[in-house]
Structure formats: structure tokens, C-alpha cells
Amino acid sequence: MNILRTITLAIPVIFTWLLMINCSKKNTPVVQETPNPTNRIEKLLQEMTLEEKIGQMTQYNGFWDATGPVPNGGDAKWKYDHLRSGKVGAVLNVSGVENVRKMQEVAVKESRLGIPLLFGLDVIHGHKTVSPIPLAESASWDLEAIKESARMAAIEASARGINWTFAPMVDISRDARWGRVMEGGGEDPYLGSQIGKARVQGFQGADLSAHNTIAATAKHLAGYGFSESGRDYNTVDVGTSTLYNVILPPFKACVDAGVSSVMNSFNTLNGIPATGNHFLQRDLLNGRWDFNGFVVSDWGSIKEMIDHGHAADLEDATIKAANAGSNMDMESYAYVNHLKKAVEEGKVKMEVIDDAVRRILNIKEQLGLFDDPYRYCDAAREKELPNHKDHHATALDIARKSIVLLKNNKNNLPLSTSQKSIAVIGPLASDKNSPLGSWRFGSDDNTAISVLEGLDAQNISYKYEKGAELVTAKTSFLEEVKVNETDKSGFDAAIKLAKESEVVIMVLGEHGFQSGEGRSRTKLDFPGVQQELLEAVHAVNPNIILVVMSGRPLVLTWAEENLPAIVQSWQLGTQSGHAITDVLMGNYNPSGKLPMTFPRSVGQIPIYYNALKTGRPGPIDLVFWSHYIDESNAPLYPFGYGLSYTNFKYSNLKTTHQAVDQANFVKVTVTLKNTGKRAGREVAQLYIRDLVASIARPVKELKGFQLVDLDANESKTIEFTLHKDDLSFYDNEGKLIFEPGKFEFFVGGDSNASLQESLVIE
Ligand code: NOJ
């Protein structure tokens, strides 16, 4: 009886005790072991004081970007003291060999342990030589060219002292209103993953310690591309299935490709800021994905947890961010001021600090900085490599491949050199700045080849009228662009020129700083008076070839309905004008395909091809199906779409499969023929649909693509092989699962691909 009573009494005690263990486990950050720390790093860790460790976890914005004497006044003075006392592990926005060397010297020679600094910069698309914006490059679907472009950027940036880039941005986005779509790979997780991986490989090369490779950063973990209503920094609210199947795969692909760092994001996920998100940073990234690198916060994102209402003050934010796995503080001044106390009070464990520092030092070691802190400080390389003429060839190659031909109904393109009179109209035709796009810190203003210069270089005779200014003032990366909404004084001359000409090339679109960070728009039209100009010119000469320069998909519905030819040229970087001229004149047969759906109207956004079917897909005779009463559901141009100066025909689609656990268990073959009169490149795309699943699957999902070059009349059989994982999906616990059943396979030149076969896979 007594024993029974003792047991009965003990049960609640044991239960409470178990509960406590469980809770304390929950509160204890799961610190995964950093793989292979070298002896040097372990030894260093043992020697470091807590302040020095926290120093490695701190990144300051450049306070020393001018050559000259050591800064000793104002803001720079205390930062300089911190540098000397080992309280800084990395800086950003300092470049140029002389600046970098001087700062590195302070860290290496004047600080107690002489640990070299990381020098980070947003090297997003090229450096001095500017490549097309990432969204444009993604339209090439050419992974080798994309990798090459990132290589070139790494070569140039590393020659200017940079050893770490905050790229690639792999945020999937379905919302063209969001200005940062220009910086990513578009809307599709498969394409986005391939591109992210190619960029990481390009930046980091085969050997991170080489003097011409730099550490890459996959950003922003996670969900930032889903900012509500496309407004930058806005709340994000995504479902679990979308998170696992759409948002996370490109990050996982970068981790698998060995990316050195990951940047967290400004937004919350399920109410928890990404910066303080244990699930994203520790459970997923360090845990399930076995990530070896370190996590850097986004600019001030630790501090912003206070504004989010997740942290009471900077001390609280510090504790939450550090415990959740934000290893380095970019510009919140949180760790430097509050982490020591938090550790001393036991609110952040020493193992959390050691883990972060180990991860950061590992990357420094991999970069070769311990062996030679000045590895990236070679004045001769700095003189030779940025803006190297070989890089212009690389930039031109990817620029041509990025152009998407949207319409060419009457074969107005390519233009013939015997054309009697060509008018060029539009503010962007002479613009040497906008084609450089946003995020181009290493470049000099006005260094792009304009469309006019491109035409000149090929001796094409034309007459030019600007028609209207796009903006009213010179603008910078930090400022809002001021658009000309009223001045139409140039219209008359443009109209007169159009009247007298056989064909009109109109170059319209967005200013280079109308997309990028903080540049969200509600209207996706041509800013200012440009649409009016277009319609006024059209009234006197409808034979218009429209060249659209933009950092995002615009709504081109009027143009599609009224003009014979449209070329989407995005912002193509340094070689812009040459690439556009090559396409207009037919020296290059366009092959780009859209990495993002182009809407018919802003109200359709978010619009994307890999949507779920809904329970009322329609159409039915009654009104009660999923549609708009004033617009079609269809996009203007679907994902994957793009024309060529030749035509391609797909036929003979066949699918076979082996047992599920065979390596390439599904084979899809198709015959592709160039039925036109000139050689061309087609991006053949394979989509699947999993018809019935425990978690509903999209109507189509891209699972493969191939770049196929064909001469006129040539045909080829192309083969896609799929692995079991390609037919699997993530369940709501984040587990990749395969469910047997019926699958459909579609092959074609865009996401409307209708050539279809199906297989039942047991
Ligand atoms: C904020 C941006 O969100 C991030 O992508 C960038 O790398 C940092 N600023 C540093 O410039």
C-alpha cells in the first residue's frame, strides 16, 4: 500500500521533472557541431576572450572608405578603436585595395590576436563591369553563362579587396510589385535552385582560398519575396506547404553547393522575425541541412525585432537573435553592446558563442586569410582586372542571352539593314545609366552602352528624338526617383519624326533605380508620360518595335494589343546597347524565356504558373467559379515564354519508367525540330503534374530544361531523366515524400506546354 502511495505521489513529481527537462531542452539552443574545425581555429578559440569572440560576431559598415590618414575623428574614431581592440570581425561597403589593406593592417597588426577581417559587399550583378540584373540573367536559363557572369564579378571584386559577397539572392517571388524581384531568379523553385547553385559556384569557384574567388551568401532566409502586397519589408504570411516546396528549395540548393554564408531576412515567419527564428536557422539550416557556414543578420535586423514587437529592447533582441542562430550582427550594434552581459548572466550559453565564432573563423580560414590576410589586396590585379575587356565579352554574351522576344507577329524583326528610315524614340534609348540597373556599387555612373551607341557601333543610320524625359532629377541608390509626370514638350518633335519614318524603335520602361530595395510599385505601367508618348507616336505610325527596359515584369497589355513587335530587354548592364542592337538587327537570334509571369493587369498579382487548381477551376456557365468578372485568369505572357526568329515544333513525346528506386527512374523523350529558316536556340522545358496527392500539388511544376541549338530544319531527340526526388514533394513536416499514383508529363517551349503523356507509377 505504502509503495503504491509513494508511486502515486511520485508520478506528478516525475512528470513535472520530465516536463522541465523537456522545456529546458526547448529553450536550449541546439548547437550543431561545426564540422572539421582546424587546430588553428580551436587553438585560437581557446585564446580568445569573450569580447574578442563577440568581436568576430560583429560587422560594421565601412567607416574608412577614403584613402588618407587613419580616421581619428567623430564616428570613425570609436569604430577604429574597436577594430584595434578586436571588436570587429567583418566590415561592409569598404572596397579598393588601398582602403582594404589599411584596415586589414589594423586588424592584423594592432589587435591582440591579429585575426583578419572579412570585407563584404553587395556584388550582385558584376562589379566594375556590370552584368544584366539577376532577373534578366535568369531569363537566359543558361546556367553556364550565369556561372561565368558570377565568376567575372568575383574576379573583379576580389581584385578590389572584397572577399565576401551578399549574393545570390534566392528569394522566390510571385509579385512584380516588389522591387527586389530584379535581384532574384524569378518565381520558380526549380529554376531558382539551379540558378542559385550556379551563382554560388561562380562566386566561390573550386577553391575558396584562390585570390580570385569570394565567399557567397544565400539570402534572405526566408520568405522575404512574399512581402504582402509587394511592399518591401512588409509582413509575410505563407503556408507550410509553400514554405517547404517553393521558398526553401533554392536555399537548400545553395547549401548543398557549399555556400559560405546565409543572410536572414527582415520579415517574420509565423510571427517570429527570421533573425530570431530558431526553426529556420538552427533546426533547418544547421540541423537538417547540415550547413557548415555562418549566418549573418540583414542590416539592422536584430534591432528591428523590437519594432516587430518580438523583443522588448536591444538586449532582449540580442539574446533572441544569438540563441536562434544569427551568428553575425550587421549594423545593429546589438552584440557589441549586449552580448557579453547576456553570456555572463547565462542567457546565452558559451557554446552558442563558440559555435558562431567557429563558423566565422572557418570561412576566414577557407578564404586563406589566416595564411595571407592581404590575399585580396594586390594593386597589380586591381589595375588590370576590373573592367577588363575580356569581361565585356562575358557581359555581352549573357546580355544577349537575357533578352526575351515577346511579340513579332508580322516578322518586323529582325530589322533589315536596307530599311529606309529608322526613328528611335524614347528617353531610355540614350540613357547610359538606367541599363546598369539597381545594386551596382562597384560600377561608375553612365558606363552602359546606350541603345543609340549600340546602333552607332553597327553603322545603323537612324534619327533620334527623346520625346520626353523619364525623370526630373539625377537620382542615386539611396533616393526616391522623381518621375516626369507633366512635361510633354518633346512630344511634337517625336511625332513628326515618327510620321516621316518607315519604322520606329521605341525604348521605354523604368529608370534603373525604380526597382531594387525599397522600390515597390503599385502600378506596373511605363512611369510618367511614356505611355502617352507611345500612343501619340502609334497614332501616326503603328509600325513600332517596342524595347522594354525594366527591372521587373510590367503590364504590357496595351502594347501587346496594338504593336507588332515587343522586345523585353530588362536592364542589361555595361553591354546593353550592343546586345539590344544585335537582337534588333538579327546578329543574335533571341532565346530568352521569362523567369516570371507577366500579368495582364496588376489586379491579377500574385500570378504564377505553378498554382494549385482550386476547387472551382471552371469555367462554368454560372458565375460561381474562380475567376474575375473584369479580366481573364490567363497571364499576358506565361512563365517560360519567349519567341525566336525561327520556329520550333515538339512531337513524339514518350515516357517510360523503371522501379521507383532506380537512379533515373523516369525517362521522357521528345523530338524537337527547327521548322523555321534560321538557326536558333530553344529552351525545352519539362513540367510534371502529380494528379492526386495527400497535399494538393500545383497544376504544373518545372522539373527539367535543356538548351538546344538547332540549325534550320534540323531535329533532335532530347531526353530528360527524372529521379524519384523529382516526383516527390515536401509534406507539412518538411519531409520529402514520394506518393505512387498517376503523373502527367508536359514538354514544350513555355509553361503552357500542352504536349502531354501520363504514367501510373506504383
Ligand atoms: C540590406 C539588404 O536587404 C541586403 O540584401 C544587403 O545585403 C544589405 N542591406 C547590405 O547592403
Side-chain angles (χ1 to χ4, degrees):
M1 198 59 188
N2 268 352
I3 296 176
L4 214 77
R5 245 188 64 204
T6 320
I7 292 175
T8 322
L9 284 175
I11 284 174
V13 178
I14 294 171
F15 184 75
T16 319
W17 182 67
L18 281 175
L19 204 74
M20 274 167 58
I21 293 182
N22 201 28
C23 284
S24 76
K25 252 196 195 153
K26 260 194 171 164
N27 292 332
T28 308
V30 189
V31 173
Q32 275 75 25
E33 250 176 49
T34 323
N36 313 322
T38 59
N39 284 342
R40 169 152 58 190
I41 290 173
E42 284 311 307
K43 214 171 137 265
L44 208 46
L45 262 171
Q46 279 162 22
E47 282 175 45
M48 291 169 87
T49 62
L50 179 55
E51 280 100 328
E52 283 165 339
K53 287 179 182 174
I54 293 167
Q56 288 305 304
M57 297 169 68
T58 299
Q59 178 175 40
Y60 286 162
N61 186 40
F63 49 96
W64 198 346
D65 49 10
T67 47
V70 171
N72 55 8
D75 188 39
K77 170 76 173 81
W78 69 264
K79 282 185 174 175
Y80 171 71
D81 289 344
H82 281 196
L83 188 60
R84 208 168 31 186
S85 54
K87 283 186 174 171
V88 188
V91 291
L92 74 152
N93 295 335
V94 173
S95 60
V97 162
E98 199 180 340
N99 295 325
V100 169
R101 181 180 279 275
K102 274 189 183 162
M103 230 165 160
Q104 193 69 296
E105 267 172 5
V106 180
V108 171
K109 294 186 182 157
E110 298 184 38
S111 75
R112 191 179 73 92
L113 293 170
I115 300 175
L117 296 165
L118 286 172
F119 288 86
L121 187 76
D122 292 280
V123 181
I124 306 294
H125 52 116
H127 187 61
K128 199 66 136 185
T129 309
V130 181
S131 298
I133 56 170
L135 185 65
E137 286 195 347
S138 305
S140 74
W141 296 51
D142 188 330
L143 302 176
E144 275 312 307
I146 290 171
K147 188 167 153 187
E148 205 39 49
S149 163
R151 270 280 347 94
M152 174 195 88
I155 291 169
E156 293 201 358
S158 62
R160 302 201 62 239
I162 301 303
N163 50 36
W164 180 25
T165 176
F166 307 126
M169 185 189 99
V170 291
D171 295 308
I172 296 297
S173 182
R174 298 164 163 178
D175 197 329
R177 294 170 297 183
W178 190 50
R180 294 194 82 167
V181 295
M182 57 78 52
E183 207 181 331
E187 75 188 34
D188 182 66
Y190 178 82
L191 181 62
S193 299
Q194 303 293 322
I195 289 174
K197 183 173 147 196
R199 290 201 167 119
V200 169
Q201 290 170 341
F203 288 127
Q204 298 195 168
D207 173 10
L208 204 52
S209 74
H211 63 177
N212 60 9
T213 55
I214 58 180
T217 310
K219 68 187 188 186
H220 307 83
L221 191 76
Y224 184 38
F226 278 68
S227 296
E228 277 184 359
S229 55
R231 200 181 79 217
D232 208 3
Y233 318 121
N234 199 9
T235 301
V236 167
D237 196 358
V238 285
T240 312
S241 185
T242 303
L243 177 70
Y244 281 120
N245 289 287
V246 179
I247 293 174
L248 293 175
F251 288 96
K252 168 105 176 28
C254 290
V255 169
D256 291 344
V259 73
S260 298
S261 62
V262 166
M263 186 184 289
N264 55 37
S265 55
F266 291 128
N267 56 282
T268 56
L269 192 71
N270 291 322
I272 304 172
T275 308
N277 204 304
H278 196 284
F279 159 72
L280 281 175
Q281 298 170 115
R282 291 213 186 271
D283 301 348
L284 264 185
L285 186 61
N286 297 348
R288 275 192 240 174
W289 297 353
D290 214 6
F291 173 56
N292 295 346
F294 69 92
V295 176
V296 61
S297 82
D298 202 346
W299 180 291
S301 69
I302 299 179
K303 185 170 52 115
E304 287 176 18
M305 293 207 292
I306 305 168
D307 292 300
H308 278 298
H310 182 71
D313 49 33
L314 201 53
E315 188 179 332
D316 190 23
T318 298
I319 296 164
K320 286 182 168 140
N323 282 338
S326 286
N327 304 135
M328 187 183 278
D329 168 4
M330 181 197 285
E331 278 290 307
S332 279
Y333 302 91
Y335 290 179
V336 66
N337 290 315
H338 300 285
L339 199 46
K340 185 164 180 258
K341 181 164 165 263
V343 174
E344 284 164 355
E345 289 174 357
K347 291 176 181 155
V348 174
K349 294 209 162 60
M350 202 58 193
E351 63 184 293
V352 167
I353 304 293
D354 283 345
D355 168 62
V357 177
R358 213 178 258 124
R359 287 170 179 277
I360 293 162
L361 294 182
N362 258 348
I363 298 301
K364 291 189 176 183
E365 166 126 284
Q366 284 172 27
L367 282 165
L369 290 173
F370 286 113
D371 296 325
D372 178 7
Y374 311 107
R375 175 152 296 187
Y376 303 88
C377 296
D378 179 342
R381 289 186 76 237
E382 182 173 49
K383 215 165 154 215
E384 183 201 342
L385 294 169
N387 220 5
H388 195 282
K389 76 170 184 346
D390 289 355
H391 296 168
H392 291 185
T394 306
L396 177 59
D397 177 59
I398 183 86
R400 289 156 152 180
K401 290 173 172 165
S402 303
I403 295 172
V404 185
L405 180 62
L406 295 177
K407 187 173 181 194
N408 193 21
N409 265 14
K410 299 183 186 155
N411 288 333
N412 295 49
L413 285 173
L415 290 170
S416 131
T417 37
S418 62
Q419 210 93 38
K420 279 193 246 73
S421 49
I422 301 177
V424 181
I425 295 173
L428 286 166
S430 55
D431 196 328
K432 291 174 65 58
N433 219 18
S434 281
L436 299 174
S438 203
W439 285 121
R440 37 127 182 142
F441 290 144
S443 72
D444 300 318
D445 281 350
N446 293 309
T447 47
I449 303 289
S450 70
V451 173
L452 299 187
E453 287 171 329
L455 292 167
D456 290 341
Q458 297 194 26
N459 293 321
I460 314 294
S461 52
Y462 63 87
K463 286 189 179 145
Y464 177 55
E465 282 295 341
K466 206 175 213 177
E469 295 292 342
L470 173 53
V471 297
T472 56
K474 192 173 165 339
T475 187
S476 84
F477 179 73
L478 297 173
E479 293 163 0
E480 211 88 60
V481 169
K482 290 177 192 62
V483 177
N484 164 31
E485 306 279 358
T486 50
D487 183 3
K488 298 183 216 162
S489 55
F491 274 33
D492 286 348
I495 291 165
K496 181 167 176 291
L497 176 63
K499 247 189 215 165
E500 296 161 1
S501 308
E502 200 179 353
V503 60
V504 184
I505 301 171
M506 288 198 76
V507 189
L508 306 177
E510 295 181 311
H511 186 278
F513 289 137
Q514 279 186 301
S515 58
E517 188 176 346
R519 271 67 180 216
S520 298
R521 297 184 63 202
T522 59
K523 302 180 201 79
L524 297 181
D525 56 0
F526 295 127
V529 297
Q530 294 182 95
Q531 179 68 28
E532 266 186 80
L533 176 66
L534 176 60
E535 292 183 29
V537 169
H538 179 260
V540 297
N541 186 348
N543 197 20
I544 294 175
I545 292 167
L546 176 65
V547 177
V548 182
M549 271 187 198
S550 61
R552 51 159 68 83
L554 296 180
V555 171
L556 301 174
T557 312
W558 186 91
E560 166 63 30
E561 283 165 5
N562 292 281
L563 307 181
I566 308 173
V567 175
Q568 175 66 33
S569 80
W570 318 99
Q571 288 145 349
L572 293 174
T574 306
Q575 295 295 306
S576 174
H578 290 321
I580 293 170
T581 306
D582 279 343
V583 164
L584 294 179
M585 303 313 298
N587 306 328
Y588 186 83
N589 188 356
S591 55
K593 300 276 188 176
L594 297 177
M596 259 189 108
T597 303
F598 273 44
R600 309 179 67 82
S601 111
V602 176
Q604 293 178 309
I605 292 174
I607 182 169
Y608 50 97
Y609 85 96
N610 48 355
L612 298 183
K613 198 172 171 197
T614 83
R616 294 196 174 189
I620 56 170
D621 287 341
L622 298 176
V623 73
F624 305 110
W625 63 286
S626 179
H627 72 302
Y628 299 101
I629 57 173
D630 59 353
E631 183 57 274
S632 126
N633 283 358
L636 188 64
Y637 305 116
F639 172 82
Y641 171 84
L643 303 172
S644 160
Y645 293 151
T646 188
N647 296 306
F648 297 100
K649 189 168 180 293
Y650 291 83
S651 62
N652 212 14
L653 178 64
K654 287 200 188 101
T655 50
T656 55
H657 77 96
Q658 301 174 301
V660 191
D661 40 12
Q662 300 291 308
N664 297 317
F665 89 117
V666 172
K667 260 196 190 132
V668 180
T669 56
V670 72
T671 306
L672 178 61
K673 183 168 186 195
N674 179 346
T675 55
K677 292 200 181 69
R678 51 181 294 166
R681 165 178 282 196
E682 170 71 328
V683 183
Q685 301 158 42
L686 168 71
Y687 296 86
I688 67 154
R689 174 155 184 223
D690 180 351
L691 281 144
V692 179
S694 56
I695 295 167
R697 308 301 306 138
V699 289
K700 266 188 193 143
E701 292 178 86
L702 181 73
K703 290 293 172 180
F705 60 88
Q706 285 180 34
L707 274 50
V708 189
D709 292 305
L710 290 174
D711 284 333
N713 259 319
E714 191 187 352
S715 54
K716 266 186 197 159
T717 300
I718 47 177
E719 181 179 292
F720 296 94
T721 50
L722 295 177
H723 186 266
K724 180 181 167 190
D725 287 357
D726 297 317
L727 269 66
S728 304
F729 60 88
Y730 288 96
D731 68 11
N732 286 341
E733 266 70 55
K735 204 165 135 241
L736 194 65
I737 56 168
F738 172 77
E739 289 182 355
K742 190 169 177 188
F743 291 84
E744 287 176 342
F745 299 85
F746 307 82
V747 178
D750 61 51
S751 58
N752 281 345
S754 56
L755 196 61
Q756 173 197 340
E757 273 292 319
S758 54
L759 281 178
V760 175
I761 302 174
E762 297 303 335

